[in-house]
Each structure stands twice: as structure tokens, then as C-alpha cells.
Amino acid sequence: MRYSIFSLARNALSGHKHWQPAWRQPDPKPEYDIVIVGGGGHGLATAYYLAKEHGLKNIAVLEKSWLGSGNIGRNTTIIRSNYMLPGNNPFYEWSMKLWEGLEQDFNFNAMVSQRGVLNLFHSDPQRDGFARRGNAMRIDGVDAELIDREDVRAMYPFFDFDNARFPIKGGLLQRRGGTVRHDAVAWGYARGADTRGVDIIQNCAVTGIRIENGKVVGVDTTRGAIKCKKLGLAAAGNSSEVAGMAGMKLPIESHVLQAFVSEGLKPYIDGVVTFGAGHFYVSQSDKGGLVFGGDLDGYNSYARRGNLPAMEHVIEGGVAMIPALSRVKVLRSWGGIMDMSMDGSPIIDKTNIEGLYLNCGWCYGGFKATPASGWCFAWTIAKDEAHKLNSAYRLDRFRRGMMIDEKGQGAQPNLH
Amino acid sequence: MRIKCPYCGERPVEEFTYLGDASKKRPSSLDDASMDEWFDYVYIRDNVKGRMHEYWHHGGGCRSWLVVDRDTQSHEIFGVTTAREYARKGKI
């Protein structure tokens, strides 16, 4: 059923008794042309674009838990395309363009809200750095505005502008950035893929990858063996484990990142703001809770929960930027497992094994990339070659010395 | 998480800095032929799910490099030794 004002009116008149499930619950078939491992944002988007853009049928998405139970349901919902390096920014800008048309495209309300992303700076050298990044963005056709402290004050008068150590001098603003309802992204892509014939199989963990003569022939799962011609891995924090089933070792470490939601407040922060002197980013959800986060805990983890020092560090950053936050109660905190790559940038590529494709290394920037990641991964799988937009995200770039290191931290994943 | 430093006793995790997998061996050769070993050492990770030996630096205390046996799924710590001892014995 297509969602529209008419379907809403029709169902309202019949007491909302006739809404259909948004996707089926199929049993796995013995064979598919393409199997995607991972029913999160990137996996579902990949299946959606494989069906929609490339007209392919006979596709399955295998999810070990319930649909969208990983990082697509755990992030801080921010979208932006304010990167600097050439291999990155055209990709993220394509993602932003897809976000802008996404709800019409997959006929689902994902609450895409371009409320603006503001990165604060606190010193003259940092202003220079942000001006350079803004110029790099504009070269790629992305909107970027360098605004001074009075402009920031007009937007957010309650910030600590005269903080003794970190006075706010201004910010780099991308007005097209914003937030999206994260779960709805998974649901919208799942529904869009399902209506185009993709089987989404939940509670089906992959336990092995079958390879014969250097070619993928299928997977073993907790719901039996499934044959396939092409296999795409989009397993986020568990990428090393899944790729290990194919005998591969990845340039990835899994780390825990925590996020937080405060008690509900009246409208307070109407955009997304990041603190420039520490790592803290905040926005306010439509329910009123402040959604915020900061740095990784900093040690390898698969635990989906972190420790108190990282929480304290995040909140210290927040209070340095917005003193009034010290009066706000934190309602919930949680953790997600990030596949941290060695240069802080992702991998969307084919592998040395025929029919095996890899999508991983999203660090903690995967949510904003969901549409372009799915779009490029679908292209790479369908055409057996990288699209121009993901041509820099090769698996062998570390060996070739072609890293895309926005932060310049080197092969130390807990610092990216 | 609390780490029991051999010199300072049990201390909170914020006193320590993490480096990573202690089982990796730094290649000794600078030969071109050893580039694969260097690539593996610098960029490739086992990314252990379970118990792992890892380097931690006690920067907020005795400033020793330590090796900690920790479970990456539960964060439980099973043992700690100095990096020097670990290099000598090859175990914790």
C-alpha cells in the first residue's frame, strides 16, 4: 500500500483496522542471486538500491537479530556533508542529496529535518582551519558559511561565549545539515526493499561463508545453508568476525561509542551544534530530549556499553559549551559497536574472492552515509566495480599509502 | 573498569591510555622484502572478540607500560603485568 493523505484518510475512516505490516516475514529460500549480510541501515539501503536502481530480483538480507537493532537504532541521528578531503566530500554530498529526496523516494516519513549543523570554533587558528574546510566544501558545491560570534549568539544566546579557556569565536554552519529519525530510515528502506521483492530474513545469523575455487557459493546460517552468486557484507561492528569466515583479516578495530538522551525539555536547541574545544555534539529530538555524544571510550570492545569516565568527559564538554546543561538530568545512555578503520574513513569495495563485496569501516560516521553507502555498494555489487563516488574507499588503500585521514591521526583507530 | 597496576594497585581506567593488541610483533627488518610484515603490523588487526592481551599506559600513575588480559565482550580483566615482564615471559 502506498502511504499518502488518502490512505491515511481511508484508514482513519475504517478505524485504523486495516493497516498492513510494512514488510513480510519470509522463510529463507535455498538460493538467491545476491545475499546481503546485515539488516541495518547500510544493508537494507543496499538491497533497496539493488532492486530499485539496478532492477535486480532474488535478493535476501540476513539479519542476526531484529531489523535495525544495531547502529542504525543507536546513533545520534545527525546528517551533514562537511568533510574536507577529495575522496570523502563528494560521497557525503551525494548522501545529503539522497537524504533530501529520500522520503518521496521510498514513500516513508523519515522526518528528515535540515535544521543546520554548526561547528563552533574557539581560537584564531581554529577559525583558519574551519575556513579552509568551508572553502573545500564550497569547491565541491556544498553549502558552508563561516559565521562570527554575534551570529552564533543570535542563534544560541545561552552558550558560554566568554568561557575563560574556550571562548566561542564563531562557527562553520552547514544549513542543509540536520537530523533524521534513525529507526524510520531502517523501516523505510526495509519496506521499500520488501515491496520490490527483497526477502528480509530476521533472526538469521551467518555462521560461515562457503567459497569454492576462489568464488563465493553461499553462506551457512542459523536457519540453514543458503546458496548465492554474490555476497555483500555490511555487518558494521562485527565486520571482522564475518570477514574472518571468508579467511580475511581487516584493517578494523571494534570500539564502543556511547550516546545519551536527557529528560524532555521545551524547545531549546533547534539545530545541531558541536563543541570545538572538546568532542561534544548535541541536538534536540522532537520529543524534547537532548541527544548528545562525544568520544569513543577508547579501548577495543564488543560490549555495547561503556564506562563512566567517557560519560563524564562528554558531559564536561557539554557543560563547558552550555553551562545550563549542568541542571539537566540524563535519562538514558547506551553504547554501539563501531568498526573503526585505520584512517577514519570507510571501505566499500570488492575483495580478492570473486562475488564477495565488503562495506565496513564507518567509524562513528555511518548514519549520515546510509543512503550513499547503500547506493554505492549496490552499484559495486551490481556492476562488479566501484562507482566514482566510492573509488577512494578501496580496501587496498592502506597498502598503497592512499589513506583518507581527515583528522590526521594515523593508524590509531581509537583517536579517529 | 579498574586496572590493577603491579606498582600502584587497583586504579580507575581514566588514569590509563590504551594502545591496543600486545600480541603483534614489530618487524625488526627495514628491508623492502619485509613490507608485508610491516603492513600487517601497522594496519591489520585480529580485532579479537573475547580475551585479548593489550597494552595500556599508566600515564596518570607510575607511567609504566602494562599488558592487560581483558575480555572485549564483558570488559572483565583477568590479569595484569608489566610490558617488560610480558616481553620476557611471553605471557601474563
Side-chain angles (χ1 to χ4, degrees):
Chain A
M1 182 203 301
R2 202 178 152 73
Y3 295 156
S4 68
I5 185 73
F6 303 108
S7 70
L8 183 63
R10 199 164 55 241
N11 280 284
L13 291 173
S14 58
H16 293 297
K17 286 178 192 150
H18 303 296
W19 289 107
Q20 297 298 310
W23 52 83
R24 299 165 293 130
Q25 307 275 359
D27 288 322
K29 289 193 276 187
E31 186 168 0
Y32 291 93
D33 290 341
I34 302 174
V35 166
I36 306 294
V37 181
H42 292 220
L44 293 166
T46 303
Y48 174 77
Y49 290 116
L50 277 169
K52 177 171 175 282
E53 301 291 331
H54 302 281
L56 296 169
K57 310 262 186 263
N58 204 19
I59 302 166
V61 177
L62 308 182
E63 166 55 44
K64 73 171 177 179
S65 180
W66 72 87
L67 185 153
S69 56
N71 295 338
I72 189 77
R74 292 165 182 269
N75 58 75
T76 44
T77 79
I78 298 165
I79 61 167
R80 56 188 174 86
S81 56
N82 56 359
Y83 287 72
M84 191 172 80
L85 298 179
N88 265 341
N89 214 30
F91 172 86
Y92 285 103
E93 177 56 13
W94 176 235
S95 205
M96 183 60 79
K97 290 207 170 81
L98 290 171
W99 282 121
E100 287 171 333
L102 186 66
E103 293 165 307
Q104 298 304 319
D105 189 66
F106 66 21
N107 182 231
F108 199 88
N109 181 10
M111 295 162 70
V112 176
S113 166
Q114 293 179 291
R115 53 182 71 182
V117 172
L118 176 64
N119 304 137
L120 299 178
F121 55 78
H122 307 266
S123 65
D124 288 343
Q126 201 173 19
R127 181 201 304 269
D128 293 345
F130 278 31
R132 182 181 173 215
R133 179 147 59 92
N135 287 336
M137 289 162 65
R138 293 171 80 132
I139 286 170
D140 285 322
V142 184
D143 66 311
E145 292 168 51
L146 200 69
I147 64 175
D148 65 21
R149 69 188 257 141
E150 293 314 311
D151 295 328
V152 177
R153 200 192 294 276
M155 296 167 78
Y156 301 104
F158 46 85
F159 284 2
D160 190 2
F161 287 86
D162 299 312
N163 185 301
R165 277 187 76 190
F166 309 118
I168 294 168
K169 300 275 195 181
L172 183 65
L173 176 63
Q174 186 187 14
R175 291 191 194 274
R176 286 164 64 240
T179 61
V180 180
R181 172 83 171 95
H182 54 353
D183 295 313
V185 177
W187 300 332
Y189 275 124
R191 176 169 167 272
D194 180 86
T195 50
R196 287 170 176 80
V198 174
D199 281 358
I200 299 166
I201 300 156
Q202 303 179 64
N203 299 309
C204 177
V206 170
T207 55
I209 296 174
R210 293 191 183 186
I211 297 163
E212 286 173 13
N213 304 320
K215 190 177 182 323
V216 164
V217 294
V219 288
D220 294 314
T221 77
T222 50
R223 296 181 65 179
I226 300 172
K227 287 188 198 162
C228 65
K229 297 189 181 77
K230 290 182 173 180
L231 182 66
L233 307 181
N238 290 304
S239 290
S240 294
E241 191 184 17
V242 180
M245 294 171 192
M248 294 173 67
K249 275 195 188 181
L250 300 181
I252 299 283
E253 284 182 13
S254 293
H255 283 259
V256 61
L257 177 69
Q258 301 188 65
F260 310 88
V261 168
S262 79
E263 60 187 327
L265 304 172
K266 288 185 175 178
Y268 185 50
I269 295 175
D270 55 0
V272 180
V273 191
T274 70
F275 185 48
H279 199 172
F280 177 81
Y281 39 89
V282 62
S283 64
Q284 188 169 16
S285 78
D286 291 359
K287 282 196 288 188
L290 301 180
V291 184
F292 56 95
D295 276 324
L296 297 171
D297 270 44
Y299 44 81
N300 283 36
S301 175
Y302 286 90
R304 280 185 173 178
R305 59 185 165 76
N307 274 283
L308 287 170
M311 185 183 290
E312 187 178 21
H313 183 73
V314 168
I315 290 170
E316 279 168 354
V319 173
M321 182 171 106
I322 315 172
L325 273 192
S326 65
R327 308 296 292 273
V328 175
K329 293 184 180 68
V330 173
L331 193 67
R332 288 188 291 129
S333 74
W334 64 94
I337 303 306
M338 311 292 122
D339 39 336
M340 301 300 297
S341 71
M342 294 297 140
D343 60 358
S345 296
I347 295 159
I348 307 176
D349 203 358
K350 4 189 245 179
T351 67
N352 291 330
I353 298 161
E354 198 185 332
L356 184 66
Y357 304 84
L358 186 63
N359 180 331
C360 67
W362 289 98
C363 299
Y364 46 79
F367 177 68
K368 72 179 90 67
T370 305
S373 166
W375 195 93
C376 288
F377 198 36
W379 176 289
T380 305
I381 292 171
K383 303 199 182 291
D384 197 38
E385 63 179 11
H387 186 272
K388 188 163 171 271
L389 287 166
N390 63 312
S391 59
Y393 295 154
R394 309 309 291 265
L395 178 57
D396 67 353
R397 69 175 181 268
F398 303 98
R399 193 182 285 273
R400 290 183 291 119
M402 302 297 281
M403 275 68 82
I404 313 165
D405 193 339
E406 289 270 348
K407 278 180 86 178
Q409 296 283 22
Q412 193 61 43
N414 60 348
L415 300 181
H416 282 292
Chain B
M1 243 159 48
R2 288 171 157 267
I3 296 174
K4 196 168 176 184
C5 173
Y7 299 117
C8 312
E10 191 171 85
R11 305 296 303 166
V13 71
E14 61 262 45
E15 289 187 4
F16 298 83
T17 308
Y18 184 76
L19 182 63
D21 193 349
S23 68
K24 287 190 104 68
K25 289 278 177 292
R26 185 186 170 91
S28 52
S29 167
L30 289 175
D31 233 310
D32 276 357
S34 66
M35 275 304 127
D36 281 349
E37 286 172 51
W38 277 102
F39 169 72
D40 187 77
Y41 174 72
V42 176
Y43 293 112
I44 298 299
R45 300 288 189 271
D46 289 337
N47 202 8
V48 177
K49 193 175 201 173
R51 278 173 79 162
M52 176 175 177
H53 291 175
E54 49 195 23
Y55 285 121
W56 289 81
H57 183 235
H58 195 187
C62 60
R63 297 203 245 166
S64 299
W65 276 101
L66 307 176
V67 175
V68 177
D69 178 4
R70 190 180 63 97
D71 191 321
T72 59
Q73 287 180 289
S74 66
H75 297 166
E76 185 178 357
I77 292 171
F78 298 95
V80 184
T81 187
T82 60
R84 182 191 298 265
E85 276 294 296
Y86 187 75
R88 210 159 53 83
K89 288 191 195 154
K91 64 181 169 82
I92 291 175

